[in-house]
Amino acid sequence: MGKDKPNSPKIHHFDYARRRRVIWLLTVAGLCCFFYLLGDWQNGGAISSSLALNKASISVADCVSSTLDFGAHHGSPSTNKDGTEVRQFPPCDMKYSEYTPCEDPIRGLNFPREMLAYRERHCPGKDELLKCLIPAPPGYKNPIPWPQSRDYAWYANTPHKELTVEKAIQKWVQFQGEKLYFPGGGTFSTGGAEKYIEDIAALIPINDGTIRTAIDTGCGVASWGAYLLQKDILAMSFAPRDTHVSQIQFALERGVPAILGIMAVHRMPYPARAFDMAHCSRCLIPWGGHDNLYLIEVDRVLRPGGYWILSGPPINWKNHHKGWERTEESLKEEQDTIEDAARRLCWKKVKEEGNLAIWQKPWNHIECVKYHKKNTQVLPHVCSKAEDPDHAWYRKMETCITPLPDAKDKTDIAGGGPLAKWPARLTAIPPRISSGSLPGINAETFIQDTKAWVKRLTYYKVHLIPPLAHGRYRNIMDMNAGLGGFAAALIKDPVWVMNAMPPEAKDNTLGVIYERGLIGTYQNWCEAFSTYPRTYDLIHANGLFSMYQDRCDIVDILLEMDRILRPEGAVLMRDEVDVLTKVMGTTQGMRWECRLADHEDGPFNSEKILVCVKTYWVGEYAPSNSTTSD
């Protein structure tokens, strides 16, 4: 049989048939993939479980390579699936770019100045709540990754130079082109935060895991807490929103735990026996005033055997008074008052060296109670045991000593025995559980909860938010923290978690969270959180909307989540499917992209997980008083 010629019709017919076969195969394959994706999207299955955030590619059934775009989007669906109109939330005016609703300085002027009450939390009423999206400033960038962020932050994200001038000598922060540089200076000593911490380490055990949680009152830009992280010590840094404007904002932009707060009239929002160490470096708190009220509050939140560190005036005033520009008489009087108050609290002075002094709280109150019973004229008295020492949400401070749990012997550690050293402390049974002080929660409950969250985090990282496993996020909020299992499962990642405990929760377990070596705060989510906008990279909400759906408008909770979430930040919400469906209807008008995914145990579990990403958009400084556009 002869060869076909180049122009033979047989060749053309063969080529044509082959092309038709290829086209038919590609069409069938494309339709298969399309219906597979459509079915998976409707059921929240494997594809939505493989959601890759921050413009990451995902592989779908080995047949399609697709990119889910989480860039800026200026259009949103106008109607829900049921035909109802989607409520669209416009951008707020740029004047609200750094809005902190409950610490608004203008609202604060309506409250008494006595004891600085006007600088505490004062939240807006329902009729004052903003129904718009807080804009990021023009030029906003994703934060510099940790650990570089400890020393540098983008100026565009926190465009303030006040501290670079006011604290230039102390080297808190310096302006360097597009960046702010934090050299680790402060009011500590000429050697900066690192040298200062080593001075403390020479006096108390901060290198061996004995001390894990700390609180820094009047923290500045939180350099003390930033440098303690390299010793595996987690500090809750707090300071008020004041004339320096952005101290806490700087700290959070650096990736350092911090919160807005002040010691004024109400208790700090932490449980009793929370911190291993408390610190004040020239924090301007009148420790000797108001019947020693603020030292009594520090005593409440310190663990048995915990340390209080005070540096700067009036410590060692004989050698330092000239540089402090105060009279020797006033400095002596202040230090004498503090020393006397510490003795009345039954604290023991550990050391005074240089410009710092350290006291230690007793391990139990056996001798302290005996002393105060014998000397009834000595104040403060010991509080009644009927009072709840952990009650700290809008609870006024008291001028009495919070009693430690009973101990049998002078050598016993009150509260259920000693804590394991870090990191064993994270998974050891917390004393509040082992002592039976939390009815319904026992060692087995704790162990099972810890295991469950390890499984859930694996599912999150592999199927829902892969960037979590690759250092994409740093500041994380858990809005309903339970026993702290979510944060514990993340302990090997370069993140820190703010564990929020709603006062409405069935069990007040914030004390357990601190005993694990984690940090957190009380927070009623019908109100705003005490932080600046755009200070969290990832928000986790487990059962939160079921808890609050009959207490306040979940729209306001979602708008608050948007306020504190960074552009391109992620949200994970675990709840019943009908609750999440309502939530998803609101998020469609918030410039979020959301997908509903199955529970880690499969599609037949009624609980689902809503995964959302806040799209990137920024505001503009309008030439007039017109509304901000994006």
Side-chain angles (χ1 to χ4, degrees), residues 121 393-394 501-504 522-529 548 551-552:
R121 283 176 59 88
W393 185 248
Y394 291 121
M501 176 60 56
E504 299 80 9
Y522 293 112
Q523 172 64 30
N524 179 339
W525 288 107
C526 290
E527 300 179 0
F529 190 73
Y548 278 100
R551 289 186 166 92
C552 53

Side-chain angles (χ1 to χ4, degrees), residues 38 74 77 87 105 111 150 160 254 257 274 317 392 411 454 535 601:
L38 180 63
H74 302 287
R87 181 179 180 181
F111 295 88
R150 187 195 73 174
H160 295 284
R254 298 172 71 184
W317 57 270
T411 59
V454 170
T535 45
D601 291 335

Side-chain angles (χ1 to χ4, degrees), residues 138-165:
Y140 182 90
K141 301 179 182 181
N142 283 331
I144 296 168
W146 183 265
Q148 291 80 14
S149 65
R150 187 195 73 174
D151 302 328
Y152 292 96
W154 296 114
Y155 173 72
N157 294 5
T158 51
H160 295 284
K161 295 182 182 179
E162 293 91 338
L163 286 179
T164 66
V165 177

Side-chain angles (χ1 to χ4, degrees), residues 112-118 120 262-265 290 293-294:
R113 289 187 168 267
E114 185 182 1
M115 294 179 65
L116 301 179
Y118 74 104
E120 288 193 315
I262 189 171
M263 296 189 77
V265 177
H290 310 297
L293 185 67
Y294 301 134

Side-chain angles (χ1 to χ4, degrees), residues 340 344 369-382 399:
D340 181 59
R344 292 166 185 260
V369 169
K370 285 182 180 178
Y371 172 77
H372 281 280
K373 280 184 177 180
K374 185 178 179 180
N375 301 278
T376 54
Q377 77 285 359
V378 176
L379 299 177
H381 297 306
V382 178
T399 53

